[in-house]
Each structure stands twice: as structure tokens, then as C-alpha cells.
Amino acid sequence: MACFRNGRLSGCQAFATIGRFRTPLQHPTLDRHFHLELLACENTRRTTGYGHFPDVLEYLAGQLLASGQAILRGDVVPLPTPLPGGTMTSLYAGLPVYFDDDFFSVTIENGSDVVIVWLIPITDQETAFIRDKGWQAFEDALARQDPDLLDPARPQLDL
């Protein structure tokens, strides 16, 4: 696990898995394997500690290894307990759009493409919206409403 602060995104701390890509994972709906690293980001309003994302990434990385299943853009992963504050109950797998496009995936020395999966906390209602309307409709709502995705206590989208 790595923590990044004071990078290109002012006021952001990012957490990423390191080495998760070594084990290829199969997506349940696609007939191919994927190499993944997981990313979670939040604002740096916190005055002490690292917050909850290191534990969340460790938990999820363990779940992926145990199941052998990949998560990709549009997938929703329920959390075992809500994030502090109680409204964010799942994680949405998205592209790391707050970063440069070249950050979406990286080709490593053996020629494998490693996908960077940004895990965005979402509410029960947002989860239901994705299930009912699809991830493209959810991403359209994100684009229209432009919430602060670095704020794990952000207000729920108006769906």
C-alpha cells in the first residue's frame, strides 16, 4: 500500500495498492484476465492519521485475491460496513478521471497492461441507481452534477 500527498491534485491524498497486478483476475462477464491496481482518494482535511482508505483497499485486495475476480469500470462493490458517517456503503469502480488519461492504465516491462481502478464511495441510493439505470447513466449524473469525489462525506447525487 502506498500513500501519496502533495501531488498534482492539490489537497488530495491518494492510496494505491502496490503489486496487486501480479495476480491476473478474471472478470465475471468477460472472457479474459486483467491485471489491476486499486486507487482511493480523499481530501486532506484530516489532521491526523491516514483515515479509512488503507483498510478498505487492504480488505478489497484480499477479496479480489480470494475470489479471483476482477472489478472494472461500472462495477459496484459493497463494503462490509459503511464508511465513517454512515452514508457511503459501497464503492464504484471508475476511471481515475481526476488524473491524466495516461494514468488509466500502464504497460509494464513484460508487456501486460495494468488497469488502475479508482474506487469511489457511493450511497445505497446511488448503488440502486447503477443497478437500475446502468453505470453510464451514473457517470452522466456525475458529469452533470460534478460532486467533489474526494469528499467521502459528500452529499448524495440528485437521482
Side-chain angles (χ1 to χ4, degrees):
M1 189 78 53
C3 176
F4 305 94
R5 293 184 177 150
N6 302 318
R8 292 193 65 186
L9 293 178
S10 178
C12 172
Q13 66 179 5
F15 301 93
T17 57
I18 304 289
R20 196 353 299 126
F21 73 89
R22 289 187 185 101
T23 304
L25 302 170
Q26 193 78 27
H27 193 270
T29 63
L30 302 170
D31 188 28
R32 63 177 282 223
H33 66 271
F34 294 89
H35 300 273
L36 307 177
E37 292 294 351
L38 307 176
L39 174 72
C41 305
E42 68 177 345
N43 56 46
T44 54
R45 292 184 198 134
R46 175 180 324 286
T47 57
T48 61
Y50 292 108
H52 51 273
F53 280 127
D55 291 336
V56 168
L57 287 182
E58 182 178 357
Y59 164 79
L60 187 52
Q63 293 298 307
L64 296 179
L65 287 173
S67 71
Q69 290 191 347
I71 55 172
L72 299 174
R73 182 181 187 188
D75 289 339
V76 174
V77 179
L79 292 168
T81 59
L83 295 179
T87 61
M88 301 298 173
T89 58
S90 296
L91 299 170
Y92 175 76
L95 299 175
V97 296
Y98 283 7
F99 298 87
D100 295 334
D101 289 352
D102 290 341
F103 194 70
F104 292 4
S105 69
V106 63
T107 303
I108 57 175
E109 60 270 358
N110 70 2
S112 295
D113 288 327
V114 178
V115 178
I116 309 299
V117 179
W118 184 19
L119 300 169
I120 303 165
I122 60 174
T123 66
D124 284 340
Q125 183 179 354
E126 292 165 344
T127 298
F129 181 84
I130 294 166
R131 184 180 54 247
D132 295 342
K133 304 290 185 186
W135 66 266
Q136 295 95 338
F138 179 68
E139 288 193 4
D140 288 345
L142 288 173
R144 276 191 316 278
Q145 297 179 41
D146 193 25
D148 180 4
L149 297 179
L150 299 179
D151 182 0
R154 69 172 170 79
Q156 178 172 274
L157 292 179
D158 182 20
L159 304 169

mmCIF file of all heavy atoms in Angstrom, residues 49-72:
data_model
loop_
_atom_site.group_PDB
_atom_site.id
_atom_site.type_symbol
_atom_site.label_atom_id
_atom_site.label_comp_id
_atom_site.label_asym_id
_atom_site.label_seq_id
_atom_site.Cartn_x
_atom_site.Cartn_y
_atom_site.Cartn_z
ATOM 1 N N GLY A 49 -3.479 10.892 11.181
ATOM 2 C CA GLY A 49 -3.704 9.556 10.641
ATOM 3 C C GLY A 49 -3.966 9.535 9.152
ATOM 4 O O GLY A 49 -3.937 10.547 8.469
ATOM 5 N N TYR A 50 -4.220 8.331 8.670
ATOM 6 C CA TYR A 50 -4.445 8.119 7.241
ATOM 7 C C TYR A 50 -5.902 7.923 6.885
ATOM 8 O O TYR A 50 -6.244 7.829 5.714
ATOM 9 C CB TYR A 50 -3.646 6.893 6.772
ATOM 10 C CG TYR A 50 -2.168 7.121 6.796
ATOM 11 C CD1 TYR A 50 -1.365 6.511 7.747
ATOM 12 C CD2 TYR A 50 -1.563 7.954 5.870
ATOM 13 C CE1 TYR A 50 -0.001 6.714 7.766
ATOM 14 C CE2 TYR A 50 -0.199 8.167 5.875
ATOM 15 C CZ TYR A 50 0.581 7.544 6.831
ATOM 16 O OH TYR A 50 1.928 7.752 6.840
ATOM 17 N N GLY A 51 -6.774 7.797 7.863
ATOM 18 C CA GLY A 51 -8.176 7.581 7.564
ATOM 19 C C GLY A 51 -8.490 6.124 7.299
ATOM 20 O O GLY A 51 -7.731 5.227 7.638
ATOM 21 N N HIS A 52 -9.593 5.885 6.645
ATOM 22 C CA HIS A 52 -10.118 4.534 6.472
ATOM 23 C C HIS A 52 -9.709 3.857 5.164
ATOM 24 O O HIS A 52 -9.817 2.655 5.027
ATOM 25 C CB HIS A 52 -11.644 4.573 6.565
ATOM 26 C CG HIS A 52 -12.241 5.609 5.677
ATOM 27 N ND1 HIS A 52 -12.402 6.907 6.068
ATOM 28 C CD2 HIS A 52 -12.676 5.535 4.401
ATOM 29 C CE1 HIS A 52 -12.914 7.603 5.084
ATOM 30 N NE2 HIS A 52 -13.092 6.799 4.066
ATOM 31 N N PHE A 53 -9.225 4.614 4.172
ATOM 32 C CA PHE A 53 -8.956 4.012 2.868
ATOM 33 C C PHE A 53 -7.861 2.946 2.861
ATOM 34 O O PHE A 53 -7.988 1.963 2.113
ATOM 35 C CB PHE A 53 -8.689 5.069 1.808
ATOM 36 C CG PHE A 53 -9.954 5.680 1.266
ATOM 37 C CD1 PHE A 53 -10.118 7.048 1.262
ATOM 38 C CD2 PHE A 53 -10.968 4.886 0.769
ATOM 39 C CE1 PHE A 53 -11.288 7.619 0.761
ATOM 40 C CE2 PHE A 53 -12.139 5.436 0.277
ATOM 41 C CZ PHE A 53 -12.302 6.809 0.267
ATOM 42 N N PRO A 54 -6.794 3.047 3.625
ATOM 43 C CA PRO A 54 -5.838 1.933 3.620
ATOM 44 C C PRO A 54 -6.483 0.601 4.017
ATOM 45 O O PRO A 54 -6.245 -0.424 3.371
ATOM 46 C CB PRO A 54 -4.768 2.371 4.631
ATOM 47 C CG PRO A 54 -4.808 3.865 4.578
ATOM 48 C CD PRO A 54 -6.276 4.195 4.404
ATOM 49 N N ASP A 55 -7.319 0.609 5.042
ATOM 50 C CA ASP A 55 -8.007 -0.616 5.458
ATOM 51 C C ASP A 55 -8.985 -1.098 4.393
ATOM 52 O O ASP A 55 -9.109 -2.302 4.143
ATOM 53 C CB ASP A 55 -8.748 -0.402 6.780
ATOM 54 C CG ASP A 55 -7.809 -0.211 7.953
ATOM 55 O OD1 ASP A 55 -6.654 -0.675 7.878
ATOM 56 O OD2 ASP A 55 -8.233 0.403 8.952
ATOM 57 N N VAL A 56 -9.688 -0.160 3.766
ATOM 58 C CA VAL A 56 -10.647 -0.521 2.720
ATOM 59 C C VAL A 56 -9.921 -1.182 1.547
ATOM 60 O O VAL A 56 -10.350 -2.228 1.041
ATOM 61 C CB VAL A 56 -11.435 0.725 2.242
ATOM 62 C CG1 VAL A 56 -12.217 0.437 0.974
ATOM 63 C CG2 VAL A 56 -12.368 1.215 3.348
ATOM 64 N N LEU A 57 -8.806 -0.605 1.114
ATOM 65 C CA LEU A 57 -8.057 -1.185 -0.008
ATOM 66 C C LEU A 57 -7.482 -2.551 0.363
ATOM 67 O O LEU A 57 -7.493 -3.478 -0.459
ATOM 68 C CB LEU A 57 -6.947 -0.253 -0.453
ATOM 69 C CG LEU A 57 -7.369 1.002 -1.203
ATOM 70 C CD1 LEU A 57 -6.150 1.809 -1.618
ATOM 71 C CD2 LEU A 57 -8.224 0.675 -2.407
ATOM 72 N N GLU A 58 -6.979 -2.681 1.575
ATOM 73 C CA GLU A 58 -6.441 -3.970 2.008
ATOM 74 C C GLU A 58 -7.540 -5.038 2.005
ATOM 75 O O GLU A 58 -7.340 -6.161 1.530
ATOM 76 C CB GLU A 58 -5.823 -3.846 3.398
ATOM 77 C CG GLU A 58 -5.198 -5.127 3.882
ATOM 78 C CD GLU A 58 -4.542 -4.987 5.248
ATOM 79 O OE1 GLU A 58 -4.515 -3.882 5.820
ATOM 80 O OE2 GLU A 58 -4.055 -6.014 5.742
ATOM 81 N N TYR A 59 -8.709 -4.681 2.534
ATOM 82 C CA TYR A 59 -9.841 -5.608 2.549
ATOM 83 C C TYR A 59 -10.215 -6.012 1.121
ATOM 84 O O TYR A 59 -10.346 -7.202 0.809
ATOM 85 C CB TYR A 59 -11.042 -4.959 3.255
ATOM 86 C CG TYR A 59 -12.344 -5.661 2.983
ATOM 87 C CD1 TYR A 59 -12.677 -6.836 3.652
ATOM 88 C CD2 TYR A 59 -13.229 -5.156 2.029
ATOM 89 C CE1 TYR A 59 -13.864 -7.494 3.377
ATOM 90 C CE2 TYR A 59 -14.421 -5.813 1.763
ATOM 91 C CZ TYR A 59 -14.736 -6.981 2.428
ATOM 92 O OH TYR A 59 -15.907 -7.630 2.147
ATOM 93 N N LEU A 60 -10.386 -5.028 0.250
ATOM 94 C CA LEU A 60 -10.840 -5.317 -1.102
ATOM 95 C C LEU A 60 -9.795 -6.112 -1.891
ATOM 96 O O LEU A 60 -10.148 -7.046 -2.618
ATOM 97 C CB LEU A 60 -11.204 -4.027 -1.835
ATOM 98 C CG LEU A 60 -11.851 -4.225 -3.193
ATOM 99 C CD1 LEU A 60 -13.041 -5.167 -3.128
ATOM 100 C CD2 LEU A 60 -12.257 -2.880 -3.762
ATOM 101 N N ALA A 61 -8.529 -5.765 -1.748
ATOM 102 C CA ALA A 61 -7.471 -6.522 -2.430
ATOM 103 C C ALA A 61 -7.509 -7.985 -1.988
ATOM 104 O O ALA A 61 -7.370 -8.896 -2.815
ATOM 105 C CB ALA A 61 -6.104 -5.901 -2.152
ATOM 106 N N GLY A 62 -7.725 -8.224 -0.708
ATOM 107 C CA GLY A 62 -7.842 -9.592 -0.204
ATOM 108 C C GLY A 62 -9.042 -10.314 -0.791
ATOM 109 O O GLY A 62 -8.959 -11.502 -1.146
ATOM 110 N N GLN A 63 -10.154 -9.610 -0.915
ATOM 111 C CA GLN A 63 -11.355 -10.204 -1.505
ATOM 112 C C GLN A 63 -11.124 -10.576 -2.970
ATOM 113 O O GLN A 63 -11.551 -11.639 -3.421
ATOM 114 C CB GLN A 63 -12.544 -9.233 -1.400
ATOM 115 C CG GLN A 63 -13.014 -8.974 0.005
ATOM 116 C CD GLN A 63 -13.519 -10.233 0.664
ATOM 117 O OE1 GLN A 63 -14.374 -10.932 0.127
ATOM 118 N NE2 GLN A 63 -12.969 -10.560 1.818
ATOM 119 N N LEU A 64 -10.436 -9.710 -3.698
ATOM 120 C CA LEU A 64 -10.159 -9.989 -5.110
ATOM 121 C C LEU A 64 -9.251 -11.205 -5.260
ATOM 122 O O LEU A 64 -9.491 -12.069 -6.107
ATOM 123 C CB LEU A 64 -9.527 -8.778 -5.790
ATOM 124 C CG LEU A 64 -10.389 -7.521 -5.881
ATOM 125 C CD1 LEU A 64 -9.612 -6.395 -6.553
ATOM 126 C CD2 LEU A 64 -11.693 -7.795 -6.601
ATOM 127 N N LEU A 65 -8.222 -11.269 -4.432
ATOM 128 C CA LEU A 65 -7.314 -12.420 -4.494
ATOM 129 C C LEU A 65 -8.039 -13.714 -4.150
ATOM 130 O O LEU A 65 -7.836 -14.747 -4.793
ATOM 131 C CB LEU A 65 -6.125 -12.210 -3.572
ATOM 132 C CG LEU A 65 -5.095 -11.188 -4.042
ATOM 133 C CD1 LEU A 65 -4.051 -10.959 -2.961
ATOM 134 C CD2 LEU A 65 -4.438 -11.637 -5.334
ATOM 135 N N ALA A 66 -8.882 -13.668 -3.128
ATOM 136 C CA ALA A 66 -9.599 -14.872 -2.707
ATOM 137 C C ALA A 66 -10.594 -15.345 -3.767
ATOM 138 O O ALA A 66 -10.742 -16.547 -3.993
ATOM 139 C CB ALA A 66 -10.315 -14.612 -1.378
ATOM 140 N N SER A 67 -11.267 -14.411 -4.425
ATOM 141 C CA SER A 67 -12.290 -14.771 -5.407
ATOM 142 C C SER A 67 -11.712 -14.997 -6.800
ATOM 143 O O SER A 67 -12.312 -15.702 -7.611
ATOM 144 C CB SER A 67 -13.358 -13.676 -5.491
ATOM 145 O OG SER A 67 -12.814 -12.513 -6.122
ATOM 146 N N GLY A 68 -10.568 -14.368 -7.082
ATOM 147 C CA GLY A 68 -10.001 -14.445 -8.428
ATOM 148 C C GLY A 68 -10.733 -13.587 -9.437
ATOM 149 O O GLY A 68 -10.472 -13.661 -10.633
ATOM 150 N N GLN A 69 -11.659 -12.753 -8.954
ATOM 151 C CA GLN A 69 -12.471 -11.934 -9.853
ATOM 152 C C GLN A 69 -11.999 -10.486 -9.878
ATOM 153 O O GLN A 69 -11.732 -9.889 -8.834
ATOM 154 C CB GLN A 69 -13.939 -11.978 -9.449
ATOM 155 C CG GLN A 69 -14.568 -13.323 -9.704
ATOM 156 C CD GLN A 69 -16.074 -13.284 -9.558
ATOM 157 O OE1 GLN A 69 -16.643 -12.328 -9.051
ATOM 158 N NE2 GLN A 69 -16.724 -14.344 -9.994
ATOM 159 N N ALA A 70 -11.948 -9.942 -11.082
ATOM 160 C CA ALA A 70 -11.575 -8.543 -11.278
ATOM 161 C C ALA A 70 -12.792 -7.644 -11.092
ATOM 162 O O ALA A 70 -13.930 -8.087 -11.257
ATOM 163 C CB ALA A 70 -11.019 -8.361 -12.689
ATOM 164 N N ILE A 71 -12.534 -6.395 -10.742
ATOM 165 C CA ILE A 71 -13.569 -5.370 -10.779
ATOM 166 C C ILE A 71 -13.116 -4.345 -11.795
ATOM 167 O O ILE A 71 -11.945 -3.972 -11.848
ATOM 168 C CB ILE A 71 -13.834 -4.730 -9.403
ATOM 169 C CG1 ILE A 71 -12.555 -4.163 -8.799
ATOM 170 C CG2 ILE A 71 -14.498 -5.709 -8.466
ATOM 171 C CD1 ILE A 71 -12.779 -3.348 -7.551
ATOM 172 N N LEU A 72 -14.043 -3.917 -12.623
ATOM 173 C CA LEU A 72 -13.733 -2.965 -13.682
ATOM 174 C C LEU A 72 -14.735 -1.832 -13.675
ATOM 175 O O LEU A 72 -15.736 -1.864 -12.953
ATOM 176 C CB LEU A 72 -13.751 -3.679 -15.041
ATOM 177 C CG LEU A 72 -12.754 -4.816 -15.221
ATOM 178 C CD1 LEU A 72 -12.986 -5.510 -16.553
ATOM 179 C CD2 LEU A 72 -11.324 -4.311 -15.121
#
